[in-house]
Structures are given as structure tokens and as C-alpha cells.
Amino acid sequence: MTIPAQEPMSPLSTRYEPLLLRHPSNPILTSKDWPYSINSVFNPGATLLADGSTLLLCRVEDRRGLSHFCAARSRNGVDGWEIDSEPTLMPSPTDYPEEIWGIEDPRITFVPELQQYVVTYTSYSRGGPGVSLALTKDFRTFERYGVIMPPDDKDSALLPRRIDGYWALIHRPATNLGAHMWISYSPDLRHWGRHRLMLEARRGAWWDANKIGMSPPPIETSRGWLVLYHGVRHTPSGCLYRLGLALFDLENPAKCLLRGDSWIFGPEAEYEVQGDVDDVVFPCGYTMDADGDRLNIYYGAADCAIALARASVRSLLTWLDANGSSAGQRRAQDHL
């Protein structure tokens, strides 16, 4: 469902108002909820199933340090989770050697044309992280396509419809140019090309100066693809992960229309600040309510737990109007 454009509000009235509200039940899932022994659970992909229930495809790290996926289902998306009694999708290094050190950080896109869910995820090979893809109709069985973007690459998601006849994948290769967001196109989900830089990590003292990457899959609105992305800033005490907003053209998603100047959500709660990796909020999935406006954003907290925050698409767009810069202004700022 597309969201109508809204009149921008004054920056003074919107700049510091919270846009993502933490659920009072947070964290909603931890290792203590799991039916088998694990180290931690975090960074879930999310989707609504045909019956209206929520499915989280959770990244589960075992006690060796390797990750696999396990599905959790809930009628209301908050509690009463029914968790698969054993791993839903395990690494298969015999058939897919790029998964030898695990599979991580799934993003889920339901594709109406295929009547299937497309799951893209990080496959951790000896050469580093790459992007792999699998299709499923029921999150019981999966058709794996294997690696589609070689190392070093991650933070990927498929757009739900073709652009000019081609599938479009957002991902984050790390190159000698830096760790930026790119988009690539494919006729068949297997062969990819027409690689384009979408959004650069800023330079200098910015909150997203060191590396960036997409968080949940893009949200289609009447004004463009709304993207929540994570920015990483290196500090003397370690990396700090926070979220920002950007808007991209509907029919040319490589074109950035607006980019928020400041971050909108960062680690503050105890379960976000302290964990296996301190100071991390990392969403990989969202669902949208029937009103077409309220987002339920599921995120990993400190690489130890899963938490939920809620937001309004209209409020995010309004904030972006008031606090964002156009692509041209952004380039000028970055090179001052």
C-alpha cells in the first residue's frame, strides 16, 4: 500500500521527537526462549504470513560462534511466540562452501509475481561475507540459489517488484572506495550486473562516516522507496551503530531524493548498550499494519536479543522533509 505525501512540519517541532518507540515488552525474544541450547538470537528478518501472523526468521548463534536461522511465529507479533523445535535453515558447506562459517542476517521480501518469499542473507565463507539467496513458500522448505554477490558483501534485500523488467537488489560491498550502499539488477535472480552506487558513507565527523548499510528491506511509498539504513561510527571505545533515513526514486532507485542529516534511533536501553557487541541496534525486518502506516520494526539488540520498535511511515516522511538534504546538497556538505 502506498502512502500519500504529507505537508512538511517545522524542523524545530520535529527534529528531536522520537520516531521509533520501543515496545514496553522489550526484549521480546532472547536465548532463554529457545527450545534448544544456543548462545544468542538477534537480527531477524520479518514478514506477515497469509493468516495475518508474524514470522521472524531469526539469526541464531550457537555456542561455537556459527549462525543459522530459526523461525518464530506469533499471532500478534509481540508475544506467544512458537519457535521451531530445531533449526529452520542450517548452513550447508558441503553443497554451498560459501556457508562454511555460517549464515547471518536474513532479509525477507514477499514477491507477488513469484508468489514466494525471497530471503537474502549473508553467507560467511573463508573469503569473507557474501550475499546468498533462497526462495520459500512456507519457511519449511527452501530453494537455494547459492551465492549471488561474492565477498566482501552483505546487508542485502530484494525489491518486491521488477524495475524496467529487472529484479533489483540493494547490497553493501566493501571495496577500496569504502563501505557504501549499491544497487544491482538481474533478469533471473541469478546473474547480476548494472551495479550502481546508491548512497555513500559520509566523511569526517558524521554519525555515518565510516560505513553504512541497509537495515530492513525498502518500504514503497507514493513518494519513493523509504530506506532505514544503519550507520557506523568508530569511537575510541568501539563501533556505534545507529539508524538514519533516506528516500529513493520509485522507478530509478539508484537516485537518492532525500537523506536525513542526523540519526533517528540509537542504542539507549540497557539491552541495546550491553551485550555480546555493545551499542548496537540492527533491524533486518519490519511488518506493516493494515492501516498502511504503522511499522513494526524488529531489530537485534547488542547482538544478544530481539527487540521491537514502532513507527509511522507518515511521520518518517515528514521528518525527512524537515531534516533531510537533497543529493546535491549532500555532496556539497561532504566535500566542504
Side-chain angles (χ1 to χ4, degrees):
M1 181 178 294
T2 57
I3 308 300
Q6 299 291 304
E7 290 297 321
M9 296 175 64
S10 164
L12 294 177
S13 66
T14 62
R15 184 176 296 273
Y16 299 115
E17 292 177 3
L19 294 173
L20 277 68
L21 302 178
R22 293 170 176 83
H23 197 279
S25 297
N26 279 350
I28 59 171
L29 284 169
T30 72
S31 60
K32 295 178 181 178
D33 298 305
W34 240 248
Y36 53 91
S37 179
I38 65 171
N39 175 62
S40 58
V41 56
F42 52 111
N43 297 5
T47 193
L48 288 178
L49 299 177
D51 64 0
S53 62
T54 296
L55 179 137
L56 299 183
L57 191 61
C58 308
R59 174 181 172 183
V60 175
E61 185 182 286
D62 64 27
R63 294 193 176 190
R64 299 173 300 169
L66 307 185
S67 293
H68 61 266
F69 300 151
C70 188
R73 297 167 175 84
S74 167
R75 298 299 303 179
N76 62 11
V78 177
D79 54 25
W81 294 97
E82 297 179 2
I83 302 170
D84 283 358
S85 59
E86 56 187 27
T88 305
L89 187 65
M90 284 289 290
S92 181
T94 300
D95 297 320
Y96 302 95
E98 67 272 10
E99 297 178 357
I100 190 168
W101 288 335
I103 53 178
E104 305 175 355
D105 302 348
R107 273 88 167 179
I108 302 170
T109 301
F110 180 72
V111 179
E113 179 182 333
L114 303 177
Q115 284 299 294
Q116 293 195 73
Y117 302 91
V118 175
V119 182
T120 60
Y121 58 93
T122 299
S123 47
Y124 201 165
S125 73
R126 294 185 186 274
V131 174
S132 289
L133 183 148
L135 278 67
T136 184
K137 294 180 179 179
D138 55 9
F139 293 93
R140 304 288 184 190
T141 60
F142 295 82
E143 179 186 1
R144 292 158 101 133
Y145 280 29
V147 68
I148 59 171
M149 293 290 173
D152 189 328
D153 208 330
K154 61 196 319 185
D155 298 331
S156 62
L158 187 78
L159 269 62
R161 60 177 176 85
R162 295 176 188 259
I163 305 294
D164 290 333
Y166 290 87
W167 301 111
L169 181 84
I170 298 173
H171 54 114
R172 203 283 305 281
T175 71
N176 57 3
L177 298 177
H180 311 300
M181 289 171 55
W182 290 65
I183 190 166
S184 301
Y185 297 90
S186 170
D188 57 7
L189 298 178
R190 294 183 184 275
H191 305 92
W192 296 86
R194 289 175 54 206
H195 311 295
R196 298 287 185 273
L197 182 63
M198 283 183 72
L199 196 69
E200 295 182 67
R202 284 181 272 220
R203 297 185 295 174
W206 289 83
W207 68 273
D208 54 358
N210 296 112
K211 60 180 178 179
I212 61 170
M214 187 186 55
S215 285
I219 303 157
E220 186 172 6
T221 78
S222 62
R223 294 184 49 192
W225 297 101
L226 182 63
V227 171
L228 282 83
Y229 73 94
H230 61 270
V232 182
R233 183 177 185 180
H234 296 162
T235 75
S237 60
C239 294
L240 181 58
Y241 282 73
R242 293 178 290 207
L243 298 183
L245 279 179
L247 188 69
F248 297 84
D249 188 86
L250 278 178
E251 301 308 322
N252 180 16
K255 180 181 179 182
C256 182
L257 304 176
L258 282 173
R259 181 181 190 173
D261 293 330
S262 57
W263 56 270
I264 62 168
F265 189 71
E268 296 176 4
E270 182 180 358
Y271 52 85
E272 301 163 350
V273 172
Q274 295 183 337
D276 279 4
V277 182
D278 295 345
D279 297 320
V280 174
V281 290
F282 197 90
C284 287
Y286 75 89
T287 63
M288 186 179 290
D289 285 1
D291 64 3
D293 181 57
R294 190 172 79 163
L295 297 172
N296 307 292
I297 299 169
Y298 295 92
Y299 64 98
D303 280 15
C304 269
I306 292 174
L308 168 63
R310 286 178 167 152
S312 158
V313 173
R314 290 184 178 90
S315 294
L316 295 177
L317 289 171
T318 297
W319 181 91
L320 198 51
D321 283 331
N323 298 283
S325 301
S326 69
Q329 291 171 324
R330 187 179 68 254
R331 284 193 293 269
Q333 290 169 343
D334 287 348
H335 289 88
L336 285 175

